[in-house]
Amino acid sequence: MTDLDATESILGALIAHPTVSAEPNVALIEHMAERLEASGARVEVFRDASGGKANLWGTIGPEGDGGIVLSGHSDVVPVADQDWSMDPWALTRRDDLLYGRGTCDMKGFIAASIAMAPHFAAQELRRPVHFCFTHDEEVGCLGARQLVPQLEARGIRPSIAIVGEPTTMQIIEGHKGCCEYTARFTGLEGHGSAPDRGVNAVLYAVRYVTRLMELAEELKHRAPRDTPFDPPWTTVNVGRLSGGVAHNVIPGKAEVEWEMRPSQYGDAEFVKEQLAHLVEHDLLPAMRAVSPWADITTEVIGEVVGLEPMTDNAARDLVRELTGDMDAHTVPFGTEAGLFQGMGMSVVVCGPGSIAQAHKPDEYISRPQLQACLDMLHGLRRSLVAA
């Protein structure tokens, strides 16, 4: 069996685990742990408090610092309300295309990494290779945010991380952060004929959104001149505003779901400080003048740091050597890469498949893309063989 055929077989087994972020992933993590251990890896599984979610950390090669991390997330987005022409949880091959939920985002890279494990184990490596497979990347990088401090507590200090998100094997050296919030407004219901006797939660939510849109314009003028991002400024998006029950009822509840994608450090704090001032000095006093129980709370759904482009980047230089691609790019979507950069690693995002296929019905990855990934990993193996 060729490495490509082995990768396809492994990918089929991974796709058969429907690891939507809302569901447990521990069965898939245990399956991958067994495969890696059978290949000679030293594996540790980190379960969360519920026991249903887990991260995997595996190592092949010598103990010590300076290792290379191959990183991927095990969770996938839902298929509900999508029009699939095939079973999303069974790998389907049509010519050179492999269909199934998670094929490109990002179980294809994970399958290629697992297929390479026996090759890494068969060599005397100068530096360790680490396998890092996490949970709940799609909903705020929750798994990686839990794993990073656990690795730091154990004194694990890799030097390079390759995050295998789908980039069609292009080298990505930077992306914005992603911060997601839900603001909840509690007012006072009443009859629509006497609006001054109630606290209209929707109207206060609208004032909150109006300030968000003002801040979105202000952020355009804060963008650094030399930023590589498109657009160069920190963006704000309001994804949902809901509230109210009928035309003639003062709404007592409202919610605003919104996000921002910081292009530079400091912008996120600027936005949060401006909103806190609005809430504490304007909205809440007006609401509580009518009802002392009125309130505004904000839930942090996720705050994921961006990947900052660096002049000196050993990961970028390594992957350039492995792929022969001298270009490096930035992307608008977020990944776990910034969390690894925060540990002191050099990081790039580079993996098989196209982000254009991610999250869609009939998601697929091509076998040539998987082969290109395997070629890169074989190059990594050769570069790590002890002299």
Side-chain angles (χ1 to χ4, degrees):
M1 180 182 290
T2 66
D3 291 332
L4 181 56
D5 289 336
T7 299
E8 181 177 338
S9 176
I10 294 168
L11 180 56
L14 303 186
I15 297 301
H17 288 80
T19 49
V20 175
S21 301
E23 302 297 328
N25 78 325
V26 69
L28 176 58
I29 290 293
E30 291 176 344
H31 171 82
M32 295 190 295
E34 290 174 2
R35 283 184 176 270
L36 287 173
E37 287 172 341
S39 298
R42 306 181 296 278
V43 177
E44 186 171 4
V45 172
F46 298 83
R47 292 180 180 246
D48 74 348
S50 73
K53 302 280 188 156
N55 297 316
L56 181 154
W57 181 262
T59 301
I60 292 175
E63 300 284 354
D65 299 339
I68 313 293
V69 178
L70 304 176
S71 172
H73 62 81
S74 66
D75 61 314
V76 298
V77 297
V79 298
D81 299 322
Q82 290 189 336
D83 186 17
W84 282 72
S85 65
M86 65 200 75
D87 183 353
W89 309 117
L91 191 68
T92 300
R93 178 175 173 180
R94 294 179 179 173
D95 297 322
D96 274 341
L97 302 183
L98 305 174
Y99 293 84
R101 173 56 86 221
T103 46
C104 79
D105 187 18
M106 56 180 300
K107 292 179 177 179
F109 177 79
I110 293 175
S113 300
I114 293 173
M116 283 297 301
H119 295 291
F120 287 120
Q123 304 288 329
E124 184 179 351
L125 304 181
R126 293 181 290 109
R127 302 163 67 181
V129 173
H130 303 290
F131 302 83
C132 178
F133 305 143
T134 59
H135 67 84
D136 291 338
E137 185 270 351
E138 298 286 4
V139 289
C141 296
L142 304 183
R145 286 163 58 191
Q146 293 174 9
L147 183 62
V148 163
Q150 292 171 319
L151 298 178
E152 290 177 327
R154 286 164 168 76
I156 298 173
R157 291 185 292 268
S159 62
I160 286 175
I162 301 172
V163 180
E165 291 277 4
T167 68
T168 60
M169 295 304 295
Q170 294 184 77
I171 300 170
I172 305 302
E173 64 177 349
H175 64 70
K176 295 181 181 181
C178 183
C179 304
E180 298 176 322
Y181 307 94
T182 299
R184 296 185 173 90
F185 299 76
T186 302
L188 178 65
E189 291 183 338
H191 198 283
S193 64
D196 292 343
R197 297 180 183 177
V199 178
N200 191 315
V202 169
L203 290 185
Y204 284 98
V206 168
R207 291 174 63 179
Y208 184 93
V209 169
T210 299
R211 182 62 181 134
L212 270 176
M213 294 299 94
E214 292 172 350
L215 289 169
E217 291 301 311
E218 293 176 29
L219 288 166
K220 293 180 180 179
H221 303 289
R222 291 172 57 95
R225 294 181 179 179
D226 58 349
T227 178
F229 297 115
D230 181 21
W233 52 81
T234 294
T235 59
V236 174
N237 180 63
V238 177
R240 187 177 72 92
L241 191 162
S242 64
V245 294
H247 294 80
N248 59 351
V249 177
I250 300 169
K253 301 286 184 182
E255 286 190 353
V256 176
E257 295 182 1
W258 65 281
E259 67 154 32
M260 62 177 159
R261 296 185 180 251
S263 63
Q264 63 179 339
Y265 295 116
D267 279 0
E269 290 305 314
F270 166 73
V271 171
K272 290 192 288 185
E273 288 172 1
Q274 292 294 313
L275 289 175
H277 186 273
L278 172 72
V279 168
E280 295 299 326
H281 296 276
D282 188 356
L283 302 186
L284 276 180
M287 295 168 73
R288 288 175 176 169
V290 179
S291 171
W293 297 280
D295 201 9
I296 301 172
T297 61
T298 299
E299 179 185 0
V300 178
I301 305 302
E303 292 182 324
V304 180
V305 296
L307 175 62
E308 182 180 0
M310 307 294 288
T311 302
D312 297 321
N313 188 331
R316 179 192 60 212
D317 297 342
L318 172 63
V319 177
R320 279 175 170 172
E321 292 178 9
L322 299 178
T323 64
D325 184 358
M326 293 297 105
D327 292 330
H329 312 271
T330 62
V331 291
F333 60 85
T335 77
E336 298 169 331
L339 294 166
F340 297 121
Q341 189 177 59
M343 289 181 65
M345 298 185 221
S346 296
V347 187
V348 291
V349 182
C350 181
S354 170
I355 195 66
Q357 303 304 324
H359 300 190
K360 293 182 178 180
D362 292 352
E363 176 184 347
Y364 68 82
I365 193 169
S366 72
R367 280 170 57 90
Q369 278 286 297
L370 289 176
Q371 184 61 61
C373 182
L374 289 167
D375 292 344
M376 178 186 73
L377 296 176
H378 270 296
L380 176 62
R381 173 187 58 82
R382 290 190 292 269
S383 74
L384 296 179
V385 173

